[in-house]
Amino acid sequence: MMVIRPICQNDLKSLYRLAEKTGIGFTSLVSDEAILQKKIDGAVRSFNKEDVTEPHNEDYLMVLEDTSTGDIVGTCGILATVGLDEPFYSYHLGSITHASRELKVHNVIPTLVLNNDFTGCSEICTLFLEEDYRHSKNGQLLSKARFMFMAQFPERFTEKVFAEMRGISNEDGVSPLWESLGRHFFSIDFKEADELTAQGNKQFIAELMPNNPVYVNLLPPEAREVLGQVHKNTVPARRLLEQEGFRYENYVDIFDGGPSLEARVQDIRAVRESRLCLANIGQPKGTTEGVSEGNYYLVSNAKVADFRCILVQRSIPPGSAMTLTQEEADNLCITNKEPVRIVELSPYSR
Amino acid sequence: MMVIRPICQNDLKSLYRLAEKTGIGFTSLVSDEAILQKKIDGAVRSFNKEDVTEPHNEDYLMVLEDTSTGDIVGTCGILATVGLDEPFYSYHLGSITHASRELKVHNVIPTLVLNNDFTGCSEICTLFLEEDYRHSKNGQLLSKARFMFMAQFPERFTEKVFAEMRGISNEDGVSPLWESLGRHFFSIDFKEADELTAQGNKQFIAELMPNNPVYVNLLPPEAREVLGQVHKNTVPARRLLEQEGFRYENYVDIFDGGPSLEARVQDIRAVRESRLCLANIGQPKGTTEGVSEGNYYLVSNAKVADFRCILVQRSIPPGSAMTLTQEEADNLCITNKEPVRIVELSPYSR
Amino acid sequence: MYLVRPADFADLPALERLAQQAGIGITNFPANRERLNDKIASSRRSLQTDVVQPGDESYLFVLVDTSKDQIVGCCGIDAMVGVDTPFYSYRIDEVVHASPQLQIHNRIPALFLCHDYSGTSRLIALVVDKAHQNNVAMSLLSRARLLFIARYPERFTKRLFAELRGESDKKGYSAFWDALGKHFFTMDFKKADYLSGVSNKNFIAELMPRYPIYVPTLPEAAQEAIGVIHENSDQSAEILLNEGFEFRGYVDIFDAGPSIEARTESLHTITQQKMDKALSLTDTAKGPMHLISAGHLEHFRVTAAPAEPQVAGLALEKATQERLGISSGHRIQWVAL
Amino acid sequence: MYLVRPADFADLPALERLAQQAGIGITNFPANRERLNDKIASSRRSLQTDVVQPGDESYLFVLVDTSKDQIVGCCGIDAMVGVDTPFYSYRIDEVVHASPQLQIHNRIPALFLCHDYSGTSRLIALVVDKAHQNNVAMSLLSRARLLFIARYPERFTKRLFAELRGESDKKGYSAFWDALGKHFFTMDFKKADYLSGVSNKNFIAELMPRYPIYVPTLPEAAQEAIGVIHENSDQSAEILLNEGFEFRGYVDIFDAGPSIEARTESLHTITQQKMDKALSLTDTAKGPMHLISAGHLEHFRVTAAPAEPQVAGLALEKATQERLGISSGHRIQWVAL
């Protein structure tokens, strides 16, 4: 069975193994033991904080474990806030109108405005699933488990949450936006800039980036076209978030132009439609051992440090109680009659 | 009975009478016959346009008629797009981070950035209800009838729609934001600037307003405090829109700092939950002549030029058909078995 | 021989012909009969007005080939630009972005829309028939303006500038315009250039970018055109540079042609010019070439002729005196060619 | 009598005492023993180095009351500011916003953060004991620097500027700081002022506003402080203004005190100074007061004394010669006081 749980100190080796597989451009998981250990420390500290009444610098990093092998095969995370230790930069794609009545010209010109608007906001991040496990809705479980955690502990996050999506670059990691914009202001290459940023070192952005709006119409077409577009590998992840109610509100990455998607936590479909019910340990009705059919449901417990989330399939919609097998209950770290949070895995299947 | 319908050429006198009552600060309805006549012409033309596949410069101005007296007692409108004839300005309240590691200082400074970001967006506007009629949910009918129209004809509007809310000013019409910001750049007073804008004359804004971001922390406290705040008379209108899913996304009016609220049309509660059903003319079950009880429902027809919307009360939730009295059907301009669109007047009452 | 004098209404057909030849890129001299007529009228009005300090006056001069009594060139001075609507230029300024931590120190040139030349006198539109583009004619026409300014300093500002035509090809294609202006005007260079000559200039403020343009983000061809003089203007540029005009980093907002400026008092022609009596040339030696002017305002005349500076004044040939409408003993102004 | 000479390590206690008196607002002369020691070391190193063009050298001079052999003042020159980190100032520029339609034409002064003085030589920190703030001592100390610059032009840039202390009260309260800097530094003026003296200046770029500040939007007290000189600095300001320094619209980013600048070659002391032989004063008349310098680099000395310019050189009293460590026939440099 596939289980989402908080990362723990024993996971360093597995995390390192995963980090090696992420490749260039995935800067939140770099294959450096010291950095990863620091990340684990931060996450362990965050999950063990009790009585959190408002978001601070918590970093909730979770892993997807295949209980049949004990392997860690994916990660996902939530940062309680960004930009409070190091500035967090983005471009806002706005418009400026230039109009002349006399000449009957009316131009609406898109502009990129450098800002720190996401400062203090919660971010969902560090989503990675090993190639061999990209099936059986594991990706959805990994991504949406975070919403179950947020639904259960909204006081730990801000009203608005966002996600940065990887932008367009070619096979060599060259980004058209960087080539026509960033390159002129940084005397380092895209990869180096990206890595510095990943290490939380962002002062240089303020120092080197132009602080005036950039006229998008003056950029070459190949740069204009990537604004707000995701890398082809990221298309499914974007669609998944959009189905949950995330929206592109014209914020893009300053380096590659990839979009940020945002939502009010309470407006996320999986949060809004999730509900608490009591766990009934037993044989779920309408299911036969080993045969899976019916709708998919995310089921999580209501614990912080021992948070767990799994995916189950039921042919009869659950009411005020959810019947779980002993194995499922064990993987959720719950006993009979404990509360669990459930929601349909996908919209429109309610 | 209270009925929402498109404004028509006979309404000029009534509209003028209403305009006289709106008072200062309500710039979209000025008591000038020529301007009002032009507005009516525009609305009549817009409602009579057939085969509209995308929004242009349509102006859908509707009125609330008391059928018992024939009086026009309120108005509400939707502009298909703003900013395409004259630039549409707003301030975006963003942030800039200034941080020094060496000094351990980390400041997040709010800024006002002048923009034309709403260019090409649909706007709901011109909401006014006569004082004597501010009861019996007339205000809600007036405001939300627009969502029924948008739900029925989404192709006539943009994906996103917004509303500008009146900002804070004192009894003499003095706006604290204007006094500490606009006044320094315009050599005219607030009222004059506001009127020029209302007449669609906005070139002067580009000419006179500073195009660099304004540091909010340098503004006096009384100006800072009004940013994104509505006039006390506008608090109920704001709450109403927020309940429908409208959100303040940090856009404010450049003169008085009043917030703009925005929503995706498909995310508006009244749009999302509204549905078509067939009208059954007869005696609604569970209701007795003259006795009103049960939930309120907005009911509209599915016509453009003959659009109508009314408010009914039903104690039994309607299913695939809605039973309407003959009077209600007449006021909706429909006959038996014609399709009508219905939705619960308020959220949470489903 | 050549003579420079103020333009008159009778010169209109000749001026129109010149303007058509001048082509694109000389925005203050459009081939539009009505506008040219206005320019002549404005010049005449300016010359007939008592001026205490510079305002919206403008002066238009023509170059006459006296052998055929034909107009073969023209030029002008605006007493002050930016009086009604601001006068826009791009100022090239370096923006410094430095990161001590990364040891990066970038100096990035950027174009800032400004109206620093508002309130300044401007030399405009030197146009000369191809056949007459020789050194004497060009110098005479260009420097005649400076003699005029020396005579009437109260009519001009202490700083003076001239716009030099920027790079564009015969069809009016400008790489700079194509990379920048086109995106904001949504019209071609020719049309914008023409409009800027005939219309008030509000539309520039309305349409041009309000934020600085970072030069390295422009296409290379556009970057290379910044501050470059159109080859047809090399000769007139050289005359002004020799006078002491300097480039201070201002370029035209349309074609990025450079503006050059100087303090009026320090210009070569103005520091060297003298006023004294006209004398008769008696011996056979004609003396070196001089620019010689006579006459007041509307009757201001300048010609180029051999002459001999003497203690009591400047000795001229009879023919030169006649061309200037003077005789010996009259006060004249001169400078060596 | 007074003598100006380069500072030495032995002067440290006296300099520390002076710095404490100087108070807030003289950021380049902080009352910090370590930093003062660094400044002396840097000055000595600079004087001992062969310099071909200006770099990060700095020169510190002290004013000695020779009657008591006591340090009563000091001043300095930075060969070039902004070498490691940019040197920031506010430039006051007018922004024009005009609406022809409404017939409004606003010129709005705005403060632009710039580093236009980066790469320029700077006169720094003139501090003199209250008891010695007389015209002779002040002029001697201030102008001694200009004599030094005249002697070693290759060590300085062609443009020179000086920052004048802006308005702040005894407690270090500055209305300008309160309205602007405070919001961005979240510390008080005193601390920011001190940090700017002792730390590298990266934090200015990190914390200061990047967009222009429109002057009319500031509180009135802050507006009124812009470009105003602290009353304690009036005297030293006057000496520099008389030399030919001009205010060109640059002010300090903390207290809005004005910067004044000049082309080195045009300064009064520099154009008037002469180099020739020292002569002996023979007759009884002592002659008018002069500033007289002698000695090379580390041994550079300047004093103020009566002297008589003669054809072959400058005639000095014996005592003056001794003070400068020279005798008749030595080369000296002088200028009238």
Side-chain angles (χ1 to χ4, degrees):
Chain A
M1 181 166 286
M2 306 305 298
V3 180
I4 297 284
R5 62 163 173 82
I7 199 163
C8 68
Q9 291 292 359
N10 296 333
D11 294 329
L12 180 59
K13 281 223 170 60
S14 312
L15 191 61
Y16 185 87
R17 196 180 50 81
L18 280 184
E20 282 184 317
K21 293 186 177 174
T22 55
I24 295 169
F26 198 89
T27 47
S28 59
L29 219 54
V30 285
S31 45
D32 175 316
E33 282 211 6
I35 292 175
L36 293 177
Q37 181 61 53
K38 227 175 119 189
K39 233 179 141 51
I40 292 177
D41 292 345
V44 168
R45 206 166 37 238
S46 302
F47 277 107
N48 285 290
K49 260 195 203 174
E50 282 166 26
D51 303 326
V52 174
T53 53
E54 52 181 27
H56 296 287
N57 62 348
E58 295 81 25
D59 175 355
Y60 301 98
L61 182 62
M62 310 187 213
V63 294
L64 179 63
E65 181 181 332
D66 181 344
T67 56
S68 64
T69 62
D71 286 345
I72 305 301
V73 301
T75 61
C76 64
I78 323 174
L79 292 171
T81 57
V82 300
L84 296 185
D85 290 323
E86 279 287 338
F88 185 92
Y89 287 94
S90 41
Y91 266 137
H92 184 239
L93 187 62
S95 352
I96 291 183
T97 306
H98 284 275
S100 168
R101 263 192 207 199
E102 191 192 347
L103 305 190
K104 295 199 179 58
V105 174
H106 188 100
N107 294 330
V108 182
I109 294 160
T111 51
L112 292 173
V113 182
L114 191 65
N115 65 76
N116 308 99
D117 291 357
F118 282 120
T119 304
C121 241
S122 299
E123 181 189 9
I124 56 172
C125 55
T126 330
L127 187 74
F128 180 73
L129 179 59
E130 228 179 89
E131 196 125 17
D132 294 348
Y133 282 85
R134 294 186 189 162
H135 57 75
S136 308
K137 306 197 186 287
N138 286 330
Q140 291 200 53
L141 167 61
L142 196 57
S143 177
K144 296 183 182 177
R146 298 178 290 195
F147 304 143
M148 299 300 273
F149 189 77
M150 296 171 87
Q152 188 60 38
F153 308 105
E155 68 283 2
R156 290 177 177 252
F157 304 98
T158 54
E159 203 188 333
K160 193 188 269 185
V161 60
F162 75 102
E164 289 189 297
M165 313 298 289
R166 185 175 168 194
I168 290 177
S169 55
N170 68 12
E171 299 75 41
D172 306 324
V174 174
S175 142
L177 184 67
W178 173 267
E179 287 305 306
S180 25
L181 187 58
R183 190 174 61 80
H184 299 297
F185 297 94
F186 295 84
S187 310
I188 50 182
D189 67 16
F190 179 63
K191 201 167 153 265
E192 198 183 339
D194 212 33
E195 277 167 11
L196 279 166
T197 316
Q199 290 157 28
N201 196 333
K202 298 184 182 176
Q203 177 56 33
F204 77 101
I205 297 174
E207 289 165 345
L208 298 180
M209 277 303 253
N211 49 40
N212 283 294
V214 171
Y215 293 102
V216 173
N217 56 349
L218 297 185
L219 294 175
E222 64 273 20
R224 291 202 297 266
E225 279 160 15
V226 302
L227 291 174
Q229 300 299 318
V230 294
H231 192 277
K232 63 177 190 290
N233 294 348
T234 307
V235 170
R238 177 180 191 158
R239 195 165 43 223
L240 190 151
L241 289 181
E242 285 179 341
Q243 282 171 354
E244 288 294 320
F246 278 75
R247 296 284 182 257
Y248 167 51
E249 293 289 358
N250 296 322
Y251 285 93
V252 302
D253 183 74
I254 58 170
F255 292 146
D256 67 12
S260 289
L261 301 185
E262 56 182 85
R264 311 257 163 174
V265 172
Q266 296 309 322
D267 290 346
I268 299 171
R269 197 268 331 170
V271 173
R272 197 179 61 228
E273 298 189 350
S274 76
R275 57 269 182 201
L276 280 177
C277 59
L278 291 186
N280 242 340
I281 299 182
Q283 184 57 30
K285 275 181 202 162
T287 62
T288 334
E289 196 74 32
V291 178
S292 299
E293 56 182 19
N295 278 338
Y296 285 95
Y297 293 88
L298 289 170
V299 185
S300 72
N301 66 18
K303 304 171 186 190
V304 183
D306 292 323
F307 180 75
R308 295 291 185 279
C309 184
I310 60 169
L311 190 62
V312 303
Q313 212 174 359
R314 293 291 180 269
S315 47
I316 298 167
S320 61
M322 179 80 174
T323 307
L324 297 167
T325 65
Q326 188 61 49
E327 187 198 0
E328 287 166 349
D330 290 347
N331 279 324
L332 280 171
C333 295
I334 55 158
T335 55
N336 202 16
K337 300 300 174 198
E338 268 197 78
V340 290
R341 179 168 288 272
I342 62 167
V343 75
E344 291 73 13
L345 178 64
S346 307
Y348 318 121
S349 65
R350 194 176 180 172
Chain B
M1 179 166 288
M2 304 304 296
V3 181
I4 298 284
R5 61 162 174 83
I7 199 162
C8 68
Q9 290 292 0
N10 295 335
D11 294 329
L12 180 60
K13 281 225 170 58
S14 313
L15 190 63
Y16 186 85
R17 196 178 51 80
L18 279 184
E20 282 184 318
K21 293 187 177 176
T22 56
I24 295 170
F26 199 90
T27 47
S28 59
L29 219 55
V30 286
S31 44
D32 174 315
E33 282 212 7
I35 293 176
L36 293 176
Q37 181 61 54
K38 225 175 123 190
K39 233 179 139 51
I40 293 176
D41 292 346
V44 168
R45 203 163 44 235
S46 302
F47 277 105
N48 284 290
K49 261 195 201 173
E50 281 167 27
D51 303 326
V52 173
T53 54
E54 53 179 28
H56 295 287
N57 62 348
E58 295 81 24
D59 176 355
Y60 301 98
L61 184 63
M62 311 187 211
V63 293
L64 179 64
E65 180 180 334
D66 181 345
T67 56
S68 64
T69 62
D71 285 346
I72 304 302
V73 300
T75 61
C76 65
I78 322 173
L79 292 172
T81 58
V82 300
L84 296 185
D85 289 324
E86 279 287 338
F88 185 92
Y89 287 93
S90 41
Y91 266 136
H92 183 240
L93 187 61
S95 353
I96 291 183
T97 306
H98 284 274
S100 168
R101 263 193 206 199
E102 191 192 348
L103 304 191
K104 296 199 178 57
V105 173
H106 188 100
N107 294 329
V108 182
I109 294 160
T111 50
L112 292 173
V113 183
L114 191 65
N115 64 76
N116 307 100
D117 291 356
F118 282 120
T119 304
C121 242
S122 298
E123 181 189 10
I124 57 172
C125 57
T126 327
L127 188 74
F128 181 73
L129 179 59
E130 229 180 272
E131 196 125 15
D132 295 348
Y133 281 85
R134 293 184 190 165
H135 57 73
S136 310
K137 304 192 186 294
N138 284 332
Q140 290 200 55
L141 168 61
L142 195 57
S143 178
K144 297 182 182 177
R146 297 178 290 193
F147 304 142
M148 300 299 273
F149 189 75
M150 295 171 90
Q152 188 60 38
F153 307 106
E155 69 281 3
R156 290 178 178 253
F157 304 98
T158 55
E159 202 189 332
K160 193 188 269 184
V161 60
F162 74 102
E164 289 189 298
M165 312 298 291
R166 184 174 168 195
I168 289 179
S169 56
N170 69 11
E171 300 76 42
D172 305 325
V174 175
S175 143
L177 183 68
W178 173 266
E179 287 305 305
S180 25
L181 187 58
R183 190 175 59 82
H184 299 296
F185 297 93
F186 294 85
S187 310
I188 50 181
D189 66 16
F190 178 64
K191 200 165 155 267
E192 197 182 340
D194 212 34
E195 277 167 11
L196 278 166
T197 316
Q199 289 156 27
N201 195 334
K202 299 184 182 177
Q203 178 56 34
F204 77 102
I205 296 175
E207 288 164 345
L208 298 180
M209 277 300 254
N211 49 42
N212 283 295
V214 171
Y215 293 102
V216 172
N217 56 349
L218 297 185
L219 294 175
E222 65 274 18
R224 292 202 296 267
E225 280 159 14
V226 303
L227 292 173
Q229 300 299 318
V230 294
H231 192 277
K232 62 178 192 289
N233 295 348
T234 308
V235 171
R238 177 179 191 160
R239 197 166 40 224
L240 190 151
L241 289 181
E242 285 180 340
Q243 282 171 352
E244 288 293 321
F246 278 76
R247 296 285 181 256
Y248 167 51
E249 293 290 358
N250 297 319
Y251 285 92
V252 302
D253 184 74
I254 58 170
F255 292 146
D256 67 12
S260 289
L261 302 184
E262 56 182 86
R264 311 256 162 175
V265 172
Q266 296 309 321
D267 290 346
I268 299 171
R269 199 267 329 170
V271 172
R272 196 180 62 228
E273 299 188 349
S274 75
R275 57 270 180 199
L276 281 177
C277 58
L278 290 185
N280 244 340
I281 298 180
Q283 184 56 30
K285 274 180 203 162
T287 61
T288 334
E289 196 75 34
V291 178
S292 299
E293 56 183 20
N295 278 337
Y296 285 94
Y297 294 88
L298 289 170
V299 185
S300 73
N301 65 17
K303 304 172 185 189
V304 183
D306 291 323
F307 180 74
R308 294 291 185 279
C309 183
I310 60 169
L311 190 63
V312 304
Q313 212 175 359
R314 293 291 179 270
S315 48
I316 297 168
S320 61
M322 178 83 174
T323 308
L324 296 167
T325 64
Q326 187 61 49
E327 187 196 4
E328 288 165 349
D330 290 347
N331 279 324
L332 282 170
C333 296
I334 53 157
T335 54
N336 202 17
K337 301 297 175 201
E338 267 197 80
V340 289
R341 179 168 288 273
I342 63 168
V343 76
E344 292 71 15
L345 178 63
S346 305
Y348 319 120
S349 65
R350 196 174 178 173
Chain C
M1 302 304 293
Y2 295 109
L3 182 77
V4 170
R5 59 158 174 82
D8 206 340
F9 289 114
D11 304 327
L12 186 55
L15 286 175
E16 204 179 347
R17 188 180 50 81
L18 278 173
Q20 274 154 4
Q21 278 176 32
I24 300 150
I26 306 208
T27 53
N28 31 46
F29 194 55
N32 171 312
R33 176 176 284 245
E34 206 176 317
R35 284 285 296 157
L36 288 173
N37 193 65
D38 287 352
K39 277 186 178 283
I40 297 171
S42 161
S43 175
R44 289 181 52 82
R45 201 167 46 240
S46 302
L47 290 163
Q48 287 160 6
T49 309
D50 267 347
V51 174
V52 199
Q53 54 181 37
D56 62 358
E57 302 84 31
S58 71
Y59 305 90
L60 189 61
F61 299 94
V62 293
L63 174 69
V64 185
D65 175 354
T66 52
S67 63
K68 299 178 188 163
D69 197 22
Q70 204 176 27
I71 308 288
V72 297
C74 74
C75 69
I77 323 173
D78 285 334
M80 189 183 269
V81 298
V83 176
D84 289 330
T85 53
F87 179 86
Y88 290 96
S89 328
Y90 274 131
R91 188 179 65 230
I92 308 173
D93 248 0
E94 279 189 338
V95 179
V96 179
H97 284 285
S99 171
Q101 176 203 358
L102 304 185
Q103 299 200 286
I104 291 173
H105 189 93
N106 291 332
R107 306 183 77 91
I108 298 162
L111 303 174
F112 292 82
L113 192 65
C114 72
H115 23 61
D116 291 359
Y117 283 130
S118 279
T120 311
S121 297
R122 171 172 69 161
L123 301 183
I124 56 167
L126 185 74
V127 180
V128 177
D129 257 350
K130 263 253 153 61
H132 294 270
Q133 290 180 1
N134 56 64
N135 181 44
V136 172
M138 295 291 279
S139 282
L140 168 62
L141 185 57
S142 184
R143 295 172 63 193
R145 296 178 291 192
L146 303 180
L147 288 173
F148 187 81
I149 291 171
R151 279 280 289 280
Y152 307 105
E154 72 283 1
R155 288 177 175 255
F156 302 98
T157 60
K158 285 183 177 168
R159 216 156 56 112
L160 190 62
F161 79 106
E163 294 176 289
L164 299 173
R165 190 171 162 189
E167 262 198 346
S168 62
D169 68 13
K170 276 171 195 153
K171 289 177 185 155
Y173 174 82
S174 149
F176 182 78
W177 170 265
D178 210 51
L180 186 50
K182 198 184 71 176
H183 295 290
F184 292 89
F185 283 82
T186 48
M187 57 183 80
D188 65 16
F189 177 54
K190 222 166 135 178
K191 185 167 174 203
D193 193 53
Y194 177 80
L195 281 171
S196 138
V198 301
S199 134
N200 79 49
K201 301 202 173 179
N202 285 339
F203 77 96
I204 295 175
E206 290 167 351
L207 297 183
M208 278 305 262
R210 289 171 212 133
Y211 297 101
I213 304 298
Y214 298 93
V215 173
T217 64
L218 294 173
E220 276 186 30
Q223 293 186 36
E224 280 163 13
I226 295 172
V228 172
I229 303 170
H230 194 283
E231 52 174 5
N232 288 355
S233 293
D234 277 352
Q235 203 180 351
S236 46
E238 214 185 308
I239 294 168
L240 294 178
L241 293 171
N242 285 339
E243 281 287 333
F245 277 84
E246 285 179 327
F247 176 61
R248 288 284 185 88
Y250 291 89
V251 300
D252 183 70
I253 56 169
F254 288 164
D255 64 12
S259 288
I260 52 179
E261 61 172 88
R263 292 189 69 80
T264 311
E265 59 186 21
S266 68
L267 290 171
H268 180 74
T269 295
I270 288 173
T271 55
Q272 304 286 314
Q273 56 94 29
K274 284 185 185 140
M275 290 278 305
D276 210 333
K277 276 205 290 282
L279 306 176
S280 293
L281 203 58
T282 46
D283 51 11
T284 46
K286 288 179 165 182
M289 285 296 279
H290 281 75
L291 303 181
I292 310 144
S293 85
H296 191 57
L297 290 171
E298 294 161 82
H299 306 293
F300 184 76
R301 299 283 182 277
V302 196
T303 190
E308 183 70 37
Q310 298 179 356
V311 177
L314 186 73
L316 312 172
E317 289 180 305
K318 190 75 188 157
T320 308
Q321 293 192 359
E322 278 168 6
R323 205 151 63 240
L324 291 170
I326 54 159
S327 45
S328 294
H330 273 99
R331 281 189 77 75
I332 55 171
Q333 178 194 22
W334 73 87
V335 70
L337 179 71
Chain D
M1 302 305 291
Y2 296 109
L3 182 76
V4 171
R5 60 162 174 80
D8 206 338
F9 289 115
D11 304 327
L12 185 57
L15 287 174
E16 204 179 346
R17 187 180 51 82
L18 278 173
Q20 274 156 6
Q21 278 177 31
I24 300 151
I26 306 208
T27 54
N28 31 46
F29 195 54
N32 173 311
R33 177 175 282 244
E34 206 178 319
R35 284 285 297 157
L36 288 172
N37 193 65
D38 287 354
K39 277 186 180 281
I40 297 171
S42 161
S43 174
R44 288 180 54 82
R45 202 168 46 241
S46 302
L47 289 164
Q48 288 160 5
T49 310
D50 268 349
V51 173
V52 199
Q53 54 181 34
D56 62 359
E57 303 83 32
S58 70
Y59 305 90
L60 189 62
F61 299 95
V62 291
L63 174 68
V64 185
D65 175 354
T66 53
S67 62
K68 299 176 188 165
D69 196 22
Q70 204 176 27
I71 308 289
V72 297
C74 75
C75 69
I77 323 174
D78 284 335
M80 190 184 267
V81 299
V83 176
D84 288 331
T85 52
F87 178 86
Y88 290 96
S89 329
Y90 274 131
R91 188 179 65 229
I92 308 171
D93 249 1
E94 280 190 338
V95 179
V96 179
H97 284 285
S99 171
Q101 174 202 356
L102 304 185
Q103 299 198 286
I104 292 173
H105 190 92
N106 291 332
R107 305 182 79 90
I108 298 163
L111 303 174
F112 292 81
L113 192 65
C114 71
H115 22 61
D116 290 0
Y117 282 130
S118 279
T120 311
S121 297
R122 170 172 69 161
L123 301 183
I124 56 168
L126 185 74
V127 180
V128 177
D129 259 348
K130 263 253 152 62
H132 293 271
Q133 289 183 0
N134 57 64
N135 181 42
V136 172
M138 296 289 280
S139 281
L140 169 61
L141 184 58
S142 184
R143 296 172 62 193
R145 299 178 289 191
L146 303 180
L147 287 173
F148 186 83
I149 291 171
R151 279 279 288 281
Y152 307 106
E154 71 283 1
R155 289 178 174 257
F156 301 97
T157 60
K158 286 183 178 168
R159 215 156 55 114
L160 190 61
F161 80 105
E163 294 176 288
L164 300 174
R165 191 172 160 187
E167 262 198 346
S168 61
D169 68 14
K170 276 169 197 156
K171 290 177 185 158
Y173 174 83
S174 149
F176 182 78
W177 170 264
D178 211 52
L180 185 50
K182 198 184 70 175
H183 295 290
F184 291 88
F185 283 82
T186 48
M187 58 183 79
D188 64 16
F189 177 53
K190 221 164 135 180
K191 186 168 172 201
D193 193 53
Y194 177 81
L195 282 170
S196 137
V198 300
S199 132
N200 80 49
K201 301 204 173 176
N202 285 339
F203 76 96
I204 294 175
E206 289 166 351
L207 297 183
M208 280 305 264
R210 289 172 211 132
Y211 296 102
I213 304 297
Y214 298 93
V215 173
T217 64
L218 294 173
E220 275 187 30
Q223 293 187 34
E224 280 163 13
I226 295 172
V228 172
I229 303 170
H230 193 283
E231 52 173 5
N232 288 356
S233 294
D234 277 352
Q235 204 179 350
S236 47
E238 213 185 310
I239 294 168
L240 294 178
L241 293 171
N242 286 339
E243 281 288 332
F245 277 83
E246 285 179 329
F247 177 62
R248 287 284 184 87
Y250 291 90
V251 300
D252 183 71
I253 57 169
F254 287 163
D255 63 12
S259 289
I260 52 180
E261 62 172 87
R263 292 189 70 80
T264 312
E265 60 185 20
S266 68
L267 289 171
H268 179 75
T269 294
I270 288 172
T271 54
Q272 304 287 313
Q273 57 94 28
K274 281 181 187 143
M275 290 280 303
D276 212 330
K277 277 205 289 281
L279 307 175
S280 292
L281 204 56
T282 45
D283 54 9
T284 45
K286 287 178 165 184
M289 285 295 278
H290 280 75
L291 304 180
I292 309 142
S293 85
H296 191 57
L297 290 172
E298 294 161 83
H299 307 292
F300 184 75
R301 298 282 181 280
V302 196
T303 191
E308 184 68 40
Q310 297 179 358
V311 176
L314 185 73
L316 312 173
E317 289 179 304
K318 190 73 187 160
T320 307
Q321 294 191 0
E322 280 168 5
R323 205 153 61 239
L324 291 169
I326 54 159
S327 45
S328 294
H330 273 101
R331 282 191 73 78
I332 55 170
Q333 177 194 24
W334 72 87
V335 70
L337 178 71

